[in-house]
Amino acid sequence: MCAWIKSASPKLAPVNEKAKHRSGFAAILGRPNAGKSTLLNALLGTKLAIVASRPQTTRTSIQGVLTLPHAQIVFLDTPGIHNPIPC
């Protein structure tokens, strides 16, 4: 697990007694070959997504779940976003 997540995890205190666990989604978006899959692997602390130097390695969306003591985050690694070609 990344150092910043370890240091931030004790600060994830519940807002009230009923909300003891939080969860959410975080999509990783960007241009092709920008390091989105590398970021996902670093956040999760394991090799989930394939990483290569050539663009368009990730062709479908990849989901990874990070579980912390008081929270759960689902990361979505997406293929690169291209600029549309004008007609």
Side-chain angles (χ1 to χ4, degrees), residues 23-65:
S23 62
F25 290 87
I28 304 172
L29 304 171
R31 296 185 57 87
N33 209 23
K36 297 178 295 297
S37 297
T38 303
L39 176 63
L40 175 69
N41 290 340
L43 290 171
L44 297 178
T46 185
K47 186 177 179 189
L48 178 67
I50 188 170
V51 177
S53 59
R54 90 183 275 240
Q56 294 299 309
T57 304
T58 304
R59 297 199 177 257
T60 60
S61 181
I62 299 172
Q63 299 175 0
V65 180

